[in-house]
Amino acid sequence: MIIVMKADASPEQISKVAEQVENIGLKPHVIKGSERTVIAVVGDEQDATVSAMETVPGVARVLPILAPYKVASREVQQEQTVVTVGPLAVGGGNVGVIAGPCSVESREQILDSARAVFASGAAGLRGGAFKPRTSPYSFQGLKEEGLKLLAEARAETGQAVVTEVVSPEDVDLVARYADVLQIGARNMQNYRLLEAVGQCDKAVLLKRGPAATVDEMLLAAEYILDGGNRQVMLCERGIRTFESHTRFTLPLATVPWLQARTHLPVVVDPSHGTGHAALVPSMAAAAVAAGADGLIIEVHPDPQNAASDGGQTLDFIAFEKTMAMCRRVAEAVGRQLN
Ligand code: PEP
Ligand code: MN
């Protein structure tokens, strides 16, 4: 249910309603918009009791939330969420760019990458320190050492550091160094991990599972929002289909579809989405044209010798050119790249 407060409802009336919601065993999420406050009521609703709230002072009306996800839905919050972390702004007309290697490999590799992608205009720096690899014999990441190197890069460029957390036990450690916690595709439905990042005060980049529907992704985001963390970005990174000419199939219709249903910003990953460096620039530009609020792109000083995902990784020159093209497309669709 959504309890829509009157435009002139007082803060006391708003807290009183939230308190009453708690008293009947439900959870209130108070969402302050520029014109009105709404209270999203989540939990196992007993309609009759919530509907009776219409008579409480300050309440304008009580409506059902039709979508299966609640706090993530546009029905609850019409204004777009803009995730801002340091110089990185994702949403609200900003196309936030996060770039860097798949994995942090060495001090020189991550510092060179940070400098190069920052010079080309990426306000976010990516790099995996904890890597979820398909094979247990593949490089698993530098772990805390990698996090320290990311923090060192941030100290120099000022970029927002985006890095993956793969298990609930690591959330505190990763949050100590990172600005944005990435939930990888393989973990989109790891509900204990989602709950753990929901308790955290760092922004989250939630990647779509390769076999997950967009409704399932929104319900995964709901776990994080329900924990109290509202700084959530959704990421389309491609899904598994019968098609094999690309590593995954990158459905860009997801971008406007999601934007119509959720206020959360939508980021596109053309690197994992295609699996081929040659396809990344076009799909990055296409994502911007489709209205993406952000891009996450793999870039490495020497892609051929990268420890992971080299085949889909741009070198510095290709990244610079991709940024120039995306900037022109962004301008054409009334947005700005940062
Ligand atoms: C990554 O970003 O390097 C990664 C592992 O991505 P995904 O979870 O989308 O496969
Ligand atoms: Mn990767």
Side-chain angles (χ1 to χ4, degrees):
M1 287 278 168
I2 314 172
I3 301 174
V4 183
M5 300 302 295
K6 288 182 177 155
D8 61 357
S10 67
E12 292 73 28
Q13 287 174 328
I14 296 168
S15 2
K16 189 94 189 139
V17 172
E19 207 175 289
Q20 272 182 258
V21 168
E22 277 173 359
N23 289 346
I24 54 169
L26 299 172
K27 190 165 169 182
H29 284 275
V30 178
I31 294 151
K32 292 194 163 67
S34 56
E35 279 162 29
R36 53 170 198 167
T37 293
V38 303
I39 301 175
V41 179
V42 295
D44 205 358
E45 290 167 22
Q46 303 126 5
D47 290 6
T49 330
V50 181
S51 318
M53 295 258 180
E54 250 176 22
T55 57
V56 174
V59 173
R61 49 190 197 281
V62 178
L63 304 165
I65 309 174
L66 300 175
Y69 36 90
K70 310 292 176 196
V71 189
S73 94
R74 280 263 187 206
E75 295 169 66
V76 165
Q77 183 183 319
Q78 273 148 29
E79 287 151 44
Q80 208 203 355
T81 293
V82 182
V83 174
T84 309
V85 189
L88 178 69
V90 182
N94 305 291
V95 183
V97 180
I98 302 159
C102 179
S103 311
V104 180
E105 296 165 18
S106 69
R107 186 167 184 275
E108 192 186 3
Q109 175 247 19
I110 194 65
L111 289 177
D112 284 356
S113 302
R115 290 175 191 132
V117 300
F118 183 63
S120 298
L125 172 67
R126 63 151 291 149
F130 288 87
K131 293 303 301 176
R133 302 306 300 280
T134 303
S135 162
Y137 308 119
S138 303
F139 176 58
Q140 302 289 316
L142 296 181
K143 309 205 164 78
E144 188 168 2
E145 183 51 33
L147 296 174
K148 287 184 180 160
L149 295 173
L150 285 164
E152 192 179 335
R154 171 183 49 215
E156 186 181 315
T157 63
Q159 287 164 297
V161 163
V162 182
T163 195
E164 182 162 354
V165 57
V166 295
S167 79
E169 307 84 76
D170 295 335
V171 169
D172 287 346
L173 172 71
V174 178
R176 227 177 289 143
Y177 296 96
D179 301 298
V180 178
L181 304 179
Q182 177 176 323
I183 302 293
R186 293 159 184 81
N187 270 318
M188 190 205 83
Q189 287 176 309
N190 180 340
Y191 298 117
R192 299 298 84 83
L193 179 59
L194 300 174
E195 283 167 357
V197 299
Q199 298 295 318
C200 185
D201 62 356
K202 293 291 162 89
V204 177
L205 179 75
L206 176 65
K207 297 189 103 182
R208 178 180 185 179
T213 64
V214 281
D215 272 5
E216 285 166 341
M217 173 160 56
L218 286 163
L219 283 165
E222 193 74 17
Y223 271 84
I224 306 170
L225 298 167
D226 190 47
N229 189 343
R230 301 271 172 85
Q231 297 287 98
V232 179
M233 298 173 263
L234 303 172
C235 179
E236 175 57 83
R237 48 77 74 208
I239 52 173
R240 183 151 284 171
T241 68
F242 56 82
E243 186 52 80
S244 59
H245 74 293
T246 48
R247 184 179 177 191
F248 293 95
T249 295
L250 184 63
L252 290 180
T254 304
V255 175
W257 194 95
L258 279 173
Q259 287 170 337
R261 285 159 183 84
T262 181
H263 50 87
L264 300 175
V266 183
V267 174
V268 172
D269 176 347
S271 307
H272 293 85
T274 62
H276 298 281
L279 305 179
V280 170
S282 317
M283 294 313 285
V288 176
D293 300 298
L295 292 171
I296 179 163
I297 300 179
E298 288 186 334
V299 182
H300 189 286
D302 180 13
Q304 284 184 354
N305 290 303
S308 55
D309 286 350
Q312 65 191 34
T313 297
L314 301 183
D315 62 20
F316 297 159
I317 294 170
F319 180 65
E320 169 69 35
K321 287 187 183 153
T322 302
M323 287 293 277
M325 175 162 66
C326 289
R327 207 169 276 121
R328 290 199 296 276
V329 175
E331 265 165 39
V333 295
R335 284 156 180 260
Q336 59 187 43
L337 226 63
N338 72 80

